[in-house]
Structures are given as structure tokens and as C-alpha cells.
Amino acid sequence: MPYLHLNLPGRFPAAQKRELAVRLCRLYADVMQTQTWRPNIGIAELGEDNLFHLRPHGLEPIVMVLVEFRAGRPNEYRLMLADGIVDACVEILGVPRRWVLIEFTPHKGEEIYRDGKWVADWTPDERAPLSAT
């Protein structure tokens, strides 16, 4: 935890997916003020004609990003993170901005098990300079 899961409406080269994963880990750590080793990234390529949003003109493919995170962060952090996720998907995957939809799911620390113990909710004391991660 945290976990960012991306459902993609097509197939992408491994190098692009790896670049996206690294960028999202660094983005998450920077914006959410934590260490770069904490985020986990999952990318599922659902292929063409498997992931849609219904717009006024008809069905349109989407990139669905689910972000599960530890409770305790201000809403402004999530907005900054969402903007960065959209930017990364547009720049690395080459998808239109309107295709990227993001859903945030907060979890209390006692709902997350890692390294043999429950994790704590995020606090400002966890902040670490990006270079120290």
C-alpha cells in the first residue's frame, strides 16, 4: 500500500509501461510526501473494445486508474496527484486527456498489512525528501 492500478484500453510496449510505473511511483512519493518504495503499480491491458465510458456522442475508450492509499492526507494532495497521473498517461501512453478517469479509495492503516504488521495512517512525520528515498 499504496496501490495504483491502471486498466488500459489497448496494448503498450513494455518500456512505456515501465516508464509509466517509475514515474507514478516518484510522483506519488513526491505529492503524497512519502518514500518512493511505498507505492505499488499494477497495469492491466484489457485490449481494444474492453474498457469504455459513455459520452454524449457514444462509447469512448478510457484509462481507468484506481488509487488506494492510506488515510490522513489532505484533499489537495489527491488533486495534485490526479493531475500528475493524467499528465503521465497523456505524455507516456499518448492517450487523450479526457480518457483518463481516476478513483481514489482511502484506507485506514489497520486495513493494510505489510511486512508482517498493520501499517499506520499517514502523518506529516513520515515526510521524506525525495532524494532520501
Side-chain angles (χ1 to χ4, degrees), residues 6-120:
L6 293 86
N7 287 319
L8 304 181
R11 304 273 182 239
F12 295 85
Q16 276 181 296
K17 293 183 288 187
R18 293 177 70 81
E19 179 184 357
L20 182 62
V22 168
R23 181 157 166 191
L24 293 180
C25 284
R26 290 180 176 154
L27 172 70
Y28 187 96
D30 186 41
V31 171
M32 299 295 252
Q33 301 184 1
T34 192
Q35 298 84 17
T36 55
W37 59 264
R38 286 191 186 269
N40 300 295
I41 309 294
I43 298 176
E45 295 176 304
L46 301 182
E48 292 183 36
D49 295 321
N50 286 307
L51 186 59
F52 300 103
H53 176 74
L54 183 58
R55 297 183 59 92
H57 66 276
L59 289 176
E60 183 172 72
I62 61 168
V63 172
M64 185 72 225
V65 183
L66 306 172
V67 181
E68 296 195 28
F69 65 100
R70 288 178 298 146
R73 290 172 176 84
N75 290 339
E76 298 80 31
Y77 288 13
R78 285 184 282 147
L79 181 58
M80 289 171 45
L81 181 60
D83 288 339
I85 291 170
V86 172
D87 290 344
C89 289
V90 169
E91 293 167 19
I92 296 170
L93 301 177
V95 298
R97 187 168 294 279
R98 71 180 179 279
W99 282 18
V100 185
L101 303 177
I102 302 170
E103 179 178 321
F104 287 90
T105 305
H107 290 281
K108 296 182 285 184
E110 65 190 25
E111 296 175 343
I112 305 158
Y113 184 82
R114 185 174 192 158
D115 294 329
K117 61 184 180 263
W118 298 115
V119 301

